[in-house]
Amino acid sequence: MLSCTSRSLPHLTRIALTLAAAFALAGCESMSVSECKVADWYRVGLADGAKGESDRRIADYTEDCGKAGITPNAALFRQGWNAGIVQFCTAANGWREGVQGHSGKSSVCLGQAGYPAFARYFEAGLQVHRTQEQMRRNNDEANRLQGRLDASKSDDEKKALREDLRHLDREQARLRNQLAQQQMLGP
């Protein structure tokens, strides 16, 4: 049985913090040493392009694999990425990325053949995302106001809170209609 004395606790805390930091840093690696050794750089580029990753990701691979003395084949990576990004820069992916609020993905398609459709649907999806976020904020506010109403003892305060809740309810109805119209703009 492990006994934690006041002297061993700080030591255990340091060990736990060190392990947590090591795991966090390991998660920052773009590729492990064993992956670097067997990487098919065309396929890596293809997969990254198809996921909408930046072509600048090769710099991360170069840094991480360089620690093991391995130099990625940037030309093969770029060929694969060029093929993969075509798969990503579509109207459907633009819509999906926008609805999910992934605003950082929009620039990766700039200059690609599919950019106009991607950008149009990305922006439409982003409007859906913003409307949904506003609806969530309104729900949170309604819950907060309802809690205040339930706890209130003052008739005047209850009246004001009910009016605020009615206003939020009307706003939610407007946003639901707006959301339905926005969702019809999807591909």
Side-chain angles (χ1 to χ4, degrees), residues 7-8 46 50 63 81 91 122 136-137 147 158 169 178-179:
R7 224 177 69 164
S8 66
L46 181 68
E63 181 181 341
W81 186 88
F122 174 80
R136 276 190 277 281
R137 285 190 298 273
K158 286 180 180 183
D169 189 46
Q178 180 176 314
L179 182 61

Side-chain angles (χ1 to χ4, degrees), residues 98-146:
V99 167
Q100 293 175 358
H102 296 162
S103 59
K105 294 282 187 164
S106 65
S107 63
V108 77
C109 292
L110 195 60
Q112 300 297 320
Y115 178 72
F118 180 91
R120 180 174 56 253
Y121 286 104
F122 174 80
E123 196 53 46
L126 202 52
Q127 292 301 319
V128 167
H129 175 74
R130 289 176 184 141
T131 300
Q132 290 171 331
E133 286 297 307
Q134 183 60 52
M135 291 175 75
R136 276 190 277 281
R137 285 190 298 273
N138 286 353
N139 278 336
D140 291 345
E141 178 65 4
N143 289 335
R144 187 185 72 77
L145 291 173
Q146 186 63 51

Side-chain angles (χ1 to χ4, degrees), residues 2-187:
L2 180 64
S3 170
C4 290
T5 64
S6 61
R7 224 177 69 164
S8 66
L9 187 58
H11 177 71
L12 291 174
T13 302
R14 279 194 304 270
I15 291 172
L17 290 173
T18 302
L19 287 173
F23 285 123
L25 288 175
C28 296
E29 286 184 2
S30 59
M31 190 176 280
S32 70
V33 171
S34 60
E35 290 171 321
C36 290
K37 289 179 181 178
V38 297
D40 175 339
W41 293 105
Y42 178 87
R43 287 182 185 255
V44 171
L46 181 68
D48 280 358
K51 290 186 291 186
E53 298 291 341
S54 170
D55 61 340
R56 292 183 299 269
R57 192 159 157 96
I58 188 68
D60 296 334
Y61 296 135
T62 300
E63 181 181 341
D64 291 340
C65 293
K67 294 173 187 172
I70 299 167
T71 303
N73 186 325
L76 282 177
F77 174 87
R78 183 64 183 192
Q79 287 175 355
W81 186 88
N82 285 337
I85 199 66
V86 171
Q87 297 170 22
F88 179 76
C89 297
T90 64
N93 283 336
W95 175 259
R96 186 190 75 240
E97 294 295 322
V99 167
Q100 293 175 358
H102 296 162
S103 59
K105 294 282 187 164
S106 65
S107 63
V108 77
C109 292
L110 195 60
Q112 300 297 320
Y115 178 72
F118 180 91
R120 180 174 56 253
Y121 286 104
F122 174 80
E123 196 53 46
L126 202 52
Q127 292 301 319
V128 167
H129 175 74
R130 289 176 184 141
T131 300
Q132 290 171 331
E133 286 297 307
Q134 183 60 52
M135 291 175 75
R136 276 190 277 281
R137 285 190 298 273
N138 286 353
N139 278 336
D140 291 345
E141 178 65 4
N143 289 335
R144 187 185 72 77
L145 291 173
Q146 186 63 51
R148 282 185 56 201
L149 178 63
D150 293 344
S152 179
K153 304 289 186 222
S154 163
D155 288 339
D156 288 341
E157 183 182 19
K158 286 180 180 183
K159 182 179 177 183
L161 289 168
R162 284 187 189 105
E163 181 56 37
D164 290 345
L165 284 166
R166 279 191 292 275
H167 172 73
L168 273 176
D169 189 46
R170 287 188 299 271
E171 176 66 7
Q172 289 296 77
R174 184 190 69 76
L175 288 172
R176 280 190 296 277
N177 288 334
Q178 180 176 314
L179 182 61
Q181 292 173 356
Q182 289 170 337
Q183 288 174 328
M184 291 185 338
L185 299 176

